[in-house]
Amino acid sequence: MEIKKIKAALAAIVIMGLTFTACSGDDGEQGPAGAPGNANVQPSNYTVMVADWTAGPVLRDTLNVPAVTQAVVDNGAVHVYQKRTDSTSWEALPFSYIAFLGGNPATLTFQFGYNVGEVHLSGTNSFNANVTPGAVYPGDRNFKVVVIPSTSLIEGIDVNDYEQVKMVYGIEEYDM
């Protein structure tokens, strides 16, 4: 009787061993490679209309950007780029250029700041700071916010060159 129990136990062990080793997962074919890039880097596009800018000495607008978490604020990075209607490229903020307001030259400067969940845009002009948003050109303006958590930061990138940022992080463009 003992030998029958030993044989049964050995048979059960062999069957269990074959069951667990036969499905190792190494026998199947590898699936196609995914798209290049970094899933943790989150670009978002926004359009700020003339009416969205608050009036006063400094034009302001706040973008709702949930990807800006406390961890990003503490150790990551947020970069903002803008595209003027007369341009085909994204330009890093802060950004200044000369415009003509009422025939007089004025330097318009756009900058940004951020905290959890928000990116704050501001625009000033050197000609007449007390104008209404419709009277000064920022016009309708496109912005791109790129949020990079600390685990995805790569040293040596020129963050003022959006094309380089796009290439390194595998950012895919889409229409606004």
Side-chain angles (χ1 to χ4, degrees), residues 35-43 147 149 152 169-170:
N38 187 326
N40 295 325
V41 175
Q42 301 178 24
V147 177
S152 299
Y169 287 107

Side-chain angles (χ1 to χ4, degrees), residues 18 24 27 29 52 67 74 86 106 110 122 129 135 143 166 172 175:
L18 288 173
S24 67
D27 299 328
E29 291 184 27
D52 295 333
D74 292 343
D86 62 346
F110 289 93
S122 63
F143 292 93
K166 181 173 102 172
E172 293 185 23
D175 293 334

Side-chain angles (χ1 to χ4, degrees), residues 58-59 93-97 106-111 122-126:
V58 177
L59 302 173
L93 268 61
F95 179 79
S96 294
Y97 65 99
T107 301
L108 296 175
T109 302
F110 289 93
Q111 16 191 14
S122 63
T124 58
N125 76 67
S126 64

Side-chain angles (χ1 to χ4, degrees), residues 75-154:
N75 298 305
V78 175
H79 301 290
V80 179
Y81 304 88
Q82 60 104 33
K83 187 186 287 187
R84 294 179 289 162
T85 55
D86 62 346
S87 176
T88 58
S89 62
W90 292 100
E91 300 152 325
L93 268 61
F95 179 79
S96 294
Y97 65 99
I98 295 177
F100 288 88
L101 301 175
N104 297 305
T107 301
L108 296 175
T109 302
F110 289 93
Q111 16 191 14
F112 75 98
Y114 59 92
N115 57 17
V116 175
E118 299 177 328
V119 170
H120 306 281
L121 303 172
S122 63
T124 58
N125 76 67
S126 64
F127 177 65
N128 181 357
N130 294 307
V131 295
T132 62
V136 67
Y137 179 82
D140 299 341
R141 194 164 288 259
N142 297 319
F143 292 93
K144 183 179 293 285
V145 177
V146 178
V147 177
I148 307 171
S150 63
T151 56
S152 299
L153 286 174
I154 299 172

